[in-house]
Amino acid sequence: MRFSTQMLLLQLACVTAVVAVCTGVFVWIGVQQLRAEAESSALSIARTVAADADVRAGVARISGQPGTPRNADLRDGPLAALAAGAEQNTGALFIVITDDHGIRLAHPDPELLGKVVSTGFADALAGRETVAWEAGTLGESARAKVPVRDPVSDEPVGEVSVGFAPASVFTELPLLLGGVALAALVAVALGGIVSLVLRRRLERLTLGLQPEELSTLVQNQAAVLDGVGDGVLASGPDGVVTVANTTAARLLGTPDLVGRRIRDLDLPSAVRHALGDSAPANGGRSDAAEPLSVGRNVIYIDTRPVSRADRDLGMIAVIRDRTDVVALTDRLETVSAMTDALRVQRHEFANRLHVTAGLIDAGRVPDARDYLDEVLEASREDSAIPLHEHVSEPFLASFVESKALRAGERGVRLSVSGDSLVRGTVGLAEDVATVAGNLIDNAVAAAVGGDEPRWVVVELLDDADTLVLTVADSGKGVADERSLFGARPATDLDEDAVHGRGIGLPLAREVARRLGGDVWLADAGGEAGGAVFCARLPGVMRARTTAPDEREDS
């Protein structure tokens, strides 16, 4: 049996069950309403009879007489006649009047007059009205019992009991059941028609595919999406994400992507733009030439619009993880800078050894001594503020010295400010190298484009686990502050652009903000001097475990 047929039968069975339950509940409510109406009518008639002055006087008179009244006297008495007339006018099954001992003073069956009633009468003699369904000598009935009060003392001296037979109560029940049955049949018919319409609609939406075939398609789609190493995200024309694999959710740091609008995602604006928040101007494929930072991930996004039969179906984006590549690049650049510094130092040291050795071999020892003094004096002048007096942290010292040597090769003097003070050790070397390296390289490049003297000053301060970095240069300043931290496409960069220009500043700021800090422009500079950049990097420093005296002795 096809799944659509099974669904049709299941829906019909469900509709039938619901209609049957609703019918039963409706009939039960109707019966309860009829019972309540009968009880209310009986209570109203009993109150009216009990309030009649003749009834009150007659019952009080008989209750006040000693002994039990005789049947013959009660048959033709005024109470029996009054009760019989009330029965005829109201259609009640019975109207019974008793005295304070429960003796019947009026009853539809004359043979029972003068005898005690078969049901309780204590509540009425206590002054309480009762309504209930009870079975007596005339069968089951909906009856109400009301006390009859003495016209002088207003004390209960008897009761009036009025009852309605079930046959008279439920006279309207067949009509009610017929209406309910008709409504139930109509509801079942409508349910069957709707089920047929839904079946055809389902087959049209699924192109006639059965659930087994649909589950196979879903499994294949999941296998393809989760089998690729890149993130895949698709959105409709309205910008709502329709498909996203686990890799895309991990790289974007957002677990629930499907069903949300791209512009509503908690992502940087550049990432939302790259994900298709606005389509490419040429309507074709868009390759992200610059890396984008999302949390701790550095990603590239490639988007392509999707259409069929000239109908816009949205956008699909492929998200590639380049976090490890960027981290490795930063590490290699740091190592390369230190290697170049060591190479320059080795080459310079070798040249000085050759000069010294030549003077000694020539027997010109005093000249060799003077040469060495000049070398020492020149080194002191080149480093007017010795680095180790302010920044003795090994990583920062070697990193800044390597940058200083490379800057010297470009004609720029890089120095450390005398206000610098670093007491801890670097814990996150890669993040520090990324931010500091970009700021220093930018400053050196700006100083090269400025006038003499060309210089860069770096100030390093640590406070607990936070490193604060300030870099100033002698360049011409920043011309456009608004687009300073905006990523520039690779096509806008010249071939001689150094690391940090174009994508370096945005990446450095993203790294700093990921750590809870920031990178900002403190002074744009201009004709009076170059720019000043600052960075605050929380959590990158650790307290030193070696005492300062031991460090100096070593």
Side-chain angles (χ1 to χ4, degrees):
M1 185 181 297
R2 293 171 59 86
F3 176 77
S4 56
T5 304
Q6 296 178 4
M7 288 297 298
L8 175 62
L9 297 177
L10 180 60
Q11 290 173 350
L12 288 176
C14 182
V15 170
T16 303
V18 171
V19 170
V21 172
C22 293
T23 301
V25 172
F26 189 78
V27 170
W28 181 81
I29 293 175
V31 171
Q32 296 302 316
Q33 289 179 343
L34 293 176
R35 289 168 62 97
E37 291 176 1
E39 293 173 354
S40 177
S41 299
L43 181 61
S44 298
I45 295 172
R47 287 174 175 172
T48 302
V49 174
D52 187 88
D54 295 337
V55 172
R56 296 178 66 182
V59 173
R61 179 178 55 82
I62 295 175
S63 297
Q65 295 176 354
T68 302
R70 295 185 305 166
N71 180 277
D73 296 336
L74 297 174
R75 287 191 179 192
D76 297 329
L79 294 178
L82 190 150
E87 289 176 6
Q88 185 176 1
N89 293 332
T90 60
L93 175 63
F94 63 84
I95 296 179
V96 177
I97 303 175
T98 70
D99 62 4
D100 56 350
H101 290 86
I103 302 300
R104 298 184 181 94
L105 306 179
H107 193 278
D109 188 357
E111 297 297 331
L112 298 179
L113 294 175
K115 296 181 180 181
V116 179
V117 293
S118 59
T119 58
F121 55 90
D123 288 336
L125 294 179
R128 295 188 294 269
E129 297 179 347
T130 60
V131 178
W133 282 74
E134 292 181 339
T137 56
L138 298 178
E140 183 180 9
S141 61
R143 62 184 64 188
K145 297 180 181 181
V146 176
V148 178
R149 299 182 180 275
D150 188 285
V152 178
S153 64
D154 202 39
E155 294 293 329
V157 293
E159 74 166 358
V160 174
S161 178
V162 178
F164 284 90
S168 62
V169 172
F170 299 120
T171 54
E172 298 179 358
L173 188 60
L175 180 61
L176 175 65
L177 293 177
V180 171
L182 178 61
L185 292 176
V186 172
V188 172
L190 289 177
I193 295 174
V194 172
S195 299
L196 287 173
V197 173
L198 289 177
R199 175 188 176 183
R200 293 185 178 181
R201 175 66 174 171
L202 179 63
E203 291 182 345
R204 184 164 59 252
L205 290 176
T206 60
L207 303 178
L209 296 176
Q210 296 302 302
E212 297 81 5
E213 299 170 321
L214 292 176
S215 63
T216 301
L217 289 177
V218 172
Q219 291 175 357
N220 292 338
Q221 179 187 10
V224 171
L225 292 178
D226 294 334
V228 298
D230 298 331
V232 179
L233 184 144
S235 60
D238 55 356
V240 177
V241 178
T242 56
V243 176
N245 62 357
T246 55
T247 304
R250 176 180 59 83
L251 293 177
L252 297 178
T254 305
D256 300 326
L257 289 171
V258 178
R260 301 176 60 183
R261 293 184 181 275
I262 292 179
R263 64 170 174 264
D264 296 335
L265 296 177
D266 186 16
L267 296 171
S269 58
V271 177
R272 293 197 303 268
H273 177 80
L275 284 175
D277 194 17
S278 59
N282 56 5
R285 179 174 178 173
S286 172
D287 293 323
E290 68 275 359
L292 301 171
S293 179
V294 181
R296 302 187 67 89
N297 299 319
V298 179
I299 60 176
Y300 283 81
I301 299 178
D302 175 19
T303 59
R304 181 193 296 271
V306 180
S307 62
R308 184 178 180 84
D310 296 332
R311 178 185 176 186
D312 182 18
L313 300 180
M315 187 80 64
I316 186 168
V318 178
I319 307 171
R320 297 181 175 88
D321 187 7
R322 292 297 181 266
T323 306
D324 295 338
V325 175
V326 172
L328 182 60
T329 300
D330 293 338
R331 185 178 300 178
L332 289 177
E333 288 188 355
T334 302
V335 174
S336 176
M338 294 182 179
T339 303
D340 291 342
L342 292 176
R343 176 184 56 79
V344 172
Q345 289 180 343
R346 182 189 61 82
H347 181 70
E348 184 178 0
F349 183 71
N351 291 336
R352 291 173 179 176
L353 284 180
H354 287 308
V355 173
T356 304
L359 292 175
I360 294 175
D361 290 341
R364 299 169 58 185
V365 176
D367 294 336
R369 180 66 182 181
D370 293 339
Y371 173 73
L372 292 177
D373 291 338
E374 293 176 0
V375 170
L376 291 175
E377 184 65 25
S379 63
R380 294 192 186 97
E381 293 178 357
D382 291 339
S383 180
I385 302 176
L387 183 63
H388 65 273
E389 292 184 3
H390 307 278
V391 182
S392 58
E393 201 282 331
F395 173 79
L396 289 177
S398 58
F399 182 77
V400 175
E401 286 179 356
S402 64
K403 290 293 184 181
L405 291 174
R406 296 189 65 177
E409 293 178 351
R410 304 186 65 180
V412 178
R413 183 175 183 272
L414 191 151
S415 62
V416 176
S417 171
D419 296 329
S420 298
L421 179 60
V422 177
R423 294 163 294 182
T425 59
V426 174
L428 300 178
E430 294 180 4
D431 293 335
V432 173
T434 299
V435 176
N438 277 288
L439 294 182
I440 293 175
D441 287 342
N442 280 351
V444 171
V448 170
D451 300 330
E452 293 285 352
R454 299 183 177 94
W455 51 265
V456 172
V457 177
V458 179
E459 180 178 289
L460 298 166
L461 295 171
D462 68 335
D463 181 13
D465 64 345
T466 301
L467 177 66
V468 179
L469 173 70
T470 303
V471 180
D473 60 70
S474 61
K476 298 180 180 179
V478 177
D480 188 3
E481 300 181 33
R482 293 175 298 178
S483 61
L484 183 63
F485 290 95
R488 294 167 53 192
T491 54
D492 294 343
L493 303 178
D494 54 53
E495 297 180 356
D496 298 331
V498 297
H499 175 67
R501 292 180 64 85
I503 65 174
L505 282 178
L507 186 59
R509 169 175 276 186
E510 289 293 338
V511 172
R513 289 182 175 178
R514 170 168 50 81
L515 296 172
D518 201 358
V519 174
W520 67 95
L521 176 65
D523 186 0
E527 296 181 358
V532 178
F533 284 86
C534 297
R536 185 174 62 86
L537 306 176
V540 300
M541 303 298 295
R542 293 196 300 260
R544 295 196 182 186
T545 57
T546 304
D549 294 338
E550 296 176 357
R551 190 167 59 244
E552 292 175 1
D553 295 340
S554 60

